[in-house]
Amino acid sequence: MLSTQQEQRVAEIDAIIERHGRSRSALIPILQDVQRRHDAIGDFAMQAIADRLGIHPVEVYGVVTFYAFLNEDCRGRFVIRLCRTISCDLAGRDAVANQLRNDLGIEFGGTTADGRFTLEWANCIGMCDQGPALLVNDQVFTHVTPEKVHDILSACTRAFGLHGAQEVQVR
Amino acid sequence: MTICNDMTLAAIEPDAGLAAALKLDRAGVIGEIRRSGMKGRGGAGFPTGVKWNLAAAAQGDRKFIVCNADEGEPGTFKDRVILTEWPGRVFEGMTIAGYAVGATEGILYLRGEYAYLRHGLEQCLAKRREEHLLGNDICGKTGFGFDVRIHMGAGAYVCGEETALIESLEGRRGEARNRPPFPVNTGLGGMPTIVNNVETFAWATAILARGADWFKAIGTEQSTGPKMLSVSGDVERPGVYEFPLGTPIREVLRAAGGEDAKAVVVGGASGQCVPANRFARTVSYEDVATGGAVIVFGPGRNMLDVAENFLEFFVDESCGQCTPCRIGNVKLLEGVRRLKRGECSTQQLRELRALGETMRVASKCGLGQSSPNAFLSIIEHFRREIPSRVPVTVEA
Ligand SMILES: Cc1cc2nc3c(=O)[nH]c(=O)nc-3n(C[C@H](O)[C@H](O)[C@H](O)COP(=O)(O)O)c2cc1C
Ligand code: SF4
């Protein structure tokens, strides 16, 4: 028998919760896994998690909105976070930022229409000695130049085409 | 190059500290750390031995050892290098702390931005379990068990503040708590909890391995031991350096190739700005204290741009719980932008300074208390740069 999409999602969320345990202290790891699975933590997921942990949905919402790396709305397959803090700023982040804007055709905070890329600012990512630096999902890129931006983006596009490939390889 | 000079830490035999600790009784371990005079390497500079002693004396069914790897302070990256190069040291230090205070559970709180380090850290943990350096009866010491798990942060600078970190571990918004009570008494789940910086745990292993006297012989009387510094900005050789505490800023600049600097900001966005004529000042708890960030600014830099960048950071990262910090940082940022445009009156500048002073005393946690530091010290030392600006609006 075919289950509905919602039932499927609940089953997935349940599996995640069972793995981490039904306790409040597991909330953030649970949310991180749900987000990894679904690219966002929507109302439905927040409600389901709150039910399972026996807390008010507002508590879950409060946590999701507090942390920069937890998101209610859908992000692109690749979230690009360019460090905007001082050392990367000194090292030339503005030129990199412009190149990213131009090549992706979006502003910071935006997602491309094809759902591939989200562009965001990050506060210091701890690569101050190798700036300008950016993160693509969990991967870090250092000494980024406007020329390198193109390589990084095309590597992402290739990884996207490979369907399921995680690592972005810059050639 | 990320590691730029000789590191004492690299020369110390792995797990010699743990072996030495397990030959002592618990009080003996804490005694050695206390005698070393080591102060926390995360920024606040609380004596580590005192902290461990309080946690050892505290009553609780469970106790926790938390390693603060949230490293969010702008300009700081030495914890990343330690976790990459010497992760075993950090877990060894946590194990020693567990033995000293009677804790069996350790948690490494790793910032979300460092997710790529997790795999290597998990491998290191697995290897240590295999080698009986974690788990039950560690190193054959019957009855002493300890293990470490990794908890990922989710992108919030304030979670580096120890009580906010605990809130985050408990699955809540990272909003700092009032202190007291302190985590050593009422920490994670209400249980006694030690929160220490990555580097603090690493040095604890060196103290046990080589003895408190060795450690004390390095540095100054009030600032004992070596310190890792993260040097970035306008220098030829940015990276991590190790210096004895008490080293003049000038010497750090010489090593990194930044002698022509106009100013450095020591301690990151929450630190203070030191102009070139004060480069004889020292990196130490009694003079210019730091968690390790040294950001260098060359002759052509505008220090108001720096203040603006820092305040943008704080406006973004304030948890919003208390008014001086939530509103104050926005007002300071507006003020800096007005100064940059040459539109700030003397009275307004005076008010900005007074606001900064208020934030220092009236904010609930260290974020708001220290966020005006860079602004205030830049205004103080670069006063001449500011009023000299020609207001652009009167041009026509
Ligand atoms: C806003 C804020 C951020 C902090 N971030 C960190 C951090 O990233 N890493 C750290 O070790 N300590 C950080 N601290 C200091 C911690 O609150 C705490 O003092 C420290 O982890 C204690 O360890 P230590 O004594 O070994 O330095 C921060 C403090 C504040 C107020
Ligand atoms: S000082 Fe700032 S970060 Fe700290 S509790 Fe107040 S609002 Fe939150």
Side-chain angles (χ1 to χ4, degrees):
Chain A
M1 202 172 67
L2 279 175
S3 61
T4 65
Q5 210 183 349
Q6 278 199 346
E7 282 168 348
Q8 232 171 39
R9 294 203 104 179
V10 170
E12 279 166 10
I13 288 169
D14 277 341
I16 289 169
I17 291 175
E18 286 323 310
R19 209 162 52 242
H20 291 284
R22 273 179 193 243
S23 76
R24 173 76 199 238
S25 62
L27 178 58
I28 294 172
I30 290 170
L31 292 171
Q32 286 164 331
D33 276 2
V34 168
Q35 176 162 294
R36 205 165 296 131
R37 191 88 181 73
H38 301 296
D39 296 325
I41 308 162
D43 289 344
F44 181 78
M46 287 195 251
Q47 180 72 57
I49 294 165
D51 286 348
R52 299 298 184 281
L53 298 187
I55 55 180
H56 199 280
V58 161
E59 293 269 333
V60 181
Y61 179 77
V63 168
V64 171
T65 50
F66 185 85
Y67 294 94
F69 283 17
L70 297 178
N71 299 114
E72 292 167 81
D73 46 348
C74 266
R75 301 292 155 122
R77 168 72 181 72
F78 298 100
V79 180
I80 300 178
R81 295 186 172 96
L82 176 64
C83 176
R84 66 175 152 197
T85 311
I86 192 73
S87 301
C88 284
D89 186 1
L90 299 179
R93 63 125 215 244
D94 283 343
V96 175
N98 269 338
Q99 197 65 48
L100 283 165
R101 281 192 193 98
N102 292 344
D103 287 5
L104 293 172
I106 50 174
E107 273 304 311
F108 281 78
T111 298
T112 54
D114 62 6
R116 288 190 188 185
F117 295 100
T118 294
L119 184 57
E120 287 181 353
W121 289 115
N123 288 326
C124 188
I125 61 172
M127 278 292 162
C128 324
D129 55 337
Q130 299 165 49
L134 57 80
L135 287 167
V136 178
N137 297 344
D138 287 350
Q139 247 179 295
V140 68
F141 292 86
T142 59
H143 297 300
V144 180
T145 56
E147 298 81 70
K148 249 183 159 177
V149 163
H150 176 77
D151 299 343
I152 293 170
L153 295 182
S154 34
C156 290
T157 310
R158 276 199 304 278
F160 191 79
L162 291 174
H163 196 80
Q166 295 291 319
E167 190 91 347
V168 177
Q169 305 272 355
V170 177
R171 281 202 279 248
Chain B
M1 246 326 250
T2 297
I3 299 172
C4 295
N5 64 359
D6 285 344
M7 300 268 156
T8 318
L9 195 61
I12 287 156
E13 198 193 326
D15 301 307
L18 179 58
L22 293 180
K23 287 197 191 101
L24 301 171
D25 62 6
R26 303 185 158 191
V29 175
I30 294 173
E32 202 63 13
I33 300 285
R34 283 186 84 157
R35 229 160 47 75
S36 77
M38 174 165 67
K39 292 180 178 164
R41 264 42 183 167
F46 191 80
T48 306
V50 174
K51 187 182 279 187
W52 289 20
N53 198 33
L54 289 168
Q59 297 297 317
D61 300 338
R62 294 159 81 186
K63 293 183 184 180
F64 296 97
I65 307 296
V66 175
C67 176
N68 187 344
D70 198 49
E71 191 162 61
E73 187 64 52
T76 312
F77 48 90
K78 45 104 188 163
D79 292 344
R80 161 177 58 83
V81 172
I82 295 172
L83 291 169
T84 309
E85 299 292 326
W86 307 289
R89 298 299 158 93
V90 180
F91 297 135
E92 181 191 346
M94 292 175 74
T95 310
I96 294 171
Y99 176 69
V101 308
T104 57
E105 292 169 73
I107 301 167
L108 179 87
Y109 187 94
L110 184 66
R111 67 186 305 216
E113 291 83 347
Y114 288 172
Y116 55 89
L117 295 181
R118 182 169 187 170
H119 181 66
L121 293 168
E122 294 283 10
Q123 279 184 324
C124 179
L125 286 173
K127 186 153 168 286
R128 293 184 73 79
R129 285 182 198 118
E130 253 166 49
E131 292 171 352
H132 302 285
L133 297 167
L134 286 175
N136 297 321
D137 301 335
I138 291 173
C139 297
K141 182 104 180 170
T142 325
F144 173 50
F146 186 78
D147 212 326
V148 177
R149 65 185 168 85
I150 297 173
H151 185 103
M152 294 306 301
Y157 164 68
V158 70
C159 286
E161 196 282 337
E162 56 185 17
T163 62
L165 189 154
I166 289 169
E167 287 287 312
S168 178
L169 282 175
E170 291 177 354
R172 282 191 278 274
R173 295 162 67 89
E175 292 175 344
R177 299 174 178 172
N178 281 319
R179 301 183 316 163
F182 293 97
V184 284
N185 290 309
T186 311
L188 184 57
M191 296 296 158
T193 303
I194 281 183
V195 181
N196 272 132
N197 176 253
V198 170
E199 188 188 347
T200 308
F201 284 118
W203 287 122
T205 69
I207 292 167
L208 268 301
R210 299 225 170 151
D213 291 322
W214 165 81
F215 192 82
K216 263 197 323 199
I218 303 166
T220 70
E221 203 176 325
Q222 286 173 59
S223 305
T224 56
K227 175 88 187 79
M228 304 271 189
L229 299 180
S230 317
V231 183
S232 68
D234 297 323
V235 290
E236 279 160 36
R237 296 174 292 280
V240 175
Y241 291 77
E242 186 195 298
F243 283 102
L245 282 168
T247 299
I249 291 168
R250 178 169 294 122
E251 210 165 298
V252 176
L253 289 173
R254 195 176 304 135
E259 289 99 326
D260 65 343
K262 149 185 188 174
V264 298
V265 170
V266 181
S270 56
Q272 53 173 316
C273 175
V274 181
N277 62 3
R278 310 267 167 97
F279 283 171
R281 294 187 67 183
T282 65
V283 178
S284 60
Y285 298 105
E286 63 269 28
D287 193 356
V288 187
T290 175
V294 177
I295 311 170
V296 182
F297 299 96
R301 302 294 181 179
N302 179 342
M303 296 310 287
L304 285 180
D305 289 344
V306 177
E308 183 183 22
N309 186 288
F310 287 170
L311 285 164
E312 284 170 352
F313 173 82
F314 287 122
V315 166
D316 213 44
E317 295 291 350
S318 166
C319 85
Q321 247 191 118
C322 66
T323 318
C325 171
R326 185 183 62 241
I327 311 284
N329 280 308
V330 173
K331 291 288 163 200
L332 289 185
L333 178 58
E334 285 170 8
V336 167
R337 290 185 174 152
R338 227 176 307 123
L339 283 165
K340 275 181 70 176
R341 293 195 304 266
E343 293 172 3
C344 190
S345 70
T346 309
Q347 176 60 21
Q348 283 171 326
L349 182 58
R350 216 172 276 147
E351 283 168 12
L352 288 174
R353 200 176 291 148
L355 171 62
E357 298 294 348
T358 305
M359 290 164 66
R360 276 182 172 164
V361 292
S363 295
K364 183 172 174 181
C365 85
L367 189 151
Q369 288 160 10
S370 60
S371 59
N373 287 351
F375 170 78
L376 290 172
S377 53
I378 286 170
I379 297 293
E380 182 190 335
H381 297 301
F382 293 93
R383 208 175 314 154
R384 258 172 305 142
E385 279 185 25
I386 297 159
S388 71
R389 295 181 76 88
V390 181
V392 282
T393 40
V394 293
E395 229 171 276

